[in-house]
Amino acid sequence: GKYNRQGDAISVSILGDYLLNSYTTLPTGQVRINGLPFAANAVFDQWVSVQTARVDHTMPLVGRIPAGQTYILIEQEDASKLNNNAALDWSAVRDPYGQLSLQFTYFI
């Protein structure tokens, strides 16, 4: 992946080839991606909008970076359920051709 730092804001772009080898599916239906370039701000958990890019579609995703950690938990956003995100069908996101990428920004 790549990152850009502007002050305390870290913008991350994770390309498909890297993504395929860096995730863990959790029993909660979330996907954990390890190895963010900096630990998140240690005071509060951060919810971030995760932008996806894929040739055939995009998927609304949200992520939570726990305070002081270097990983993000990603889940699928379910617009039909207020504040109740769905388990992520990671098989729909994982792309064997490396065409998927994720982008998000968090604060350190």
Side-chain angles (χ1 to χ4, degrees):
K2 300 178 184 179
Y3 75 90
N4 181 33
R5 179 176 180 177
Q6 291 186 335
D8 289 342
I10 308 298
S11 297
V12 177
S13 177
I14 303 174
L15 305 177
D17 291 334
Y18 176 80
L19 192 60
L20 288 175
N21 297 312
S22 64
Y23 75 91
T24 302
T25 302
L26 303 177
T28 56
Q30 296 169 318
V31 171
R32 177 176 167 159
I33 300 176
N34 298 312
L36 297 182
F38 299 96
N41 184 303
V43 176
F44 56 90
D45 290 359
Q46 296 179 53
W47 285 93
V48 298
S49 175
V50 179
Q51 303 300 314
T52 62
R54 187 174 173 181
V55 171
D56 58 351
H57 73 281
T58 60
M59 179 178 287
L61 302 175
V62 293
R64 181 173 63 86
I65 305 172
Q69 299 300 315
T70 58
Y71 63 85
I72 184 170
L73 299 169
I74 297 177
E75 55 194 38
Q76 185 171 353
E77 188 174 25
D78 186 348
S80 67
K81 299 177 184 176
L82 184 63
N83 296 323
N84 186 14
N85 295 319
L88 180 62
D89 178 7
W90 195 241
S91 63
V93 179
R94 187 175 60 193
D95 187 336
Y97 302 104
Q99 297 170 337
L100 172 74
S101 64
L102 303 176
Q103 297 87 34
F104 57 90
T105 299
Y106 70 102
F107 295 91
I108 58 173

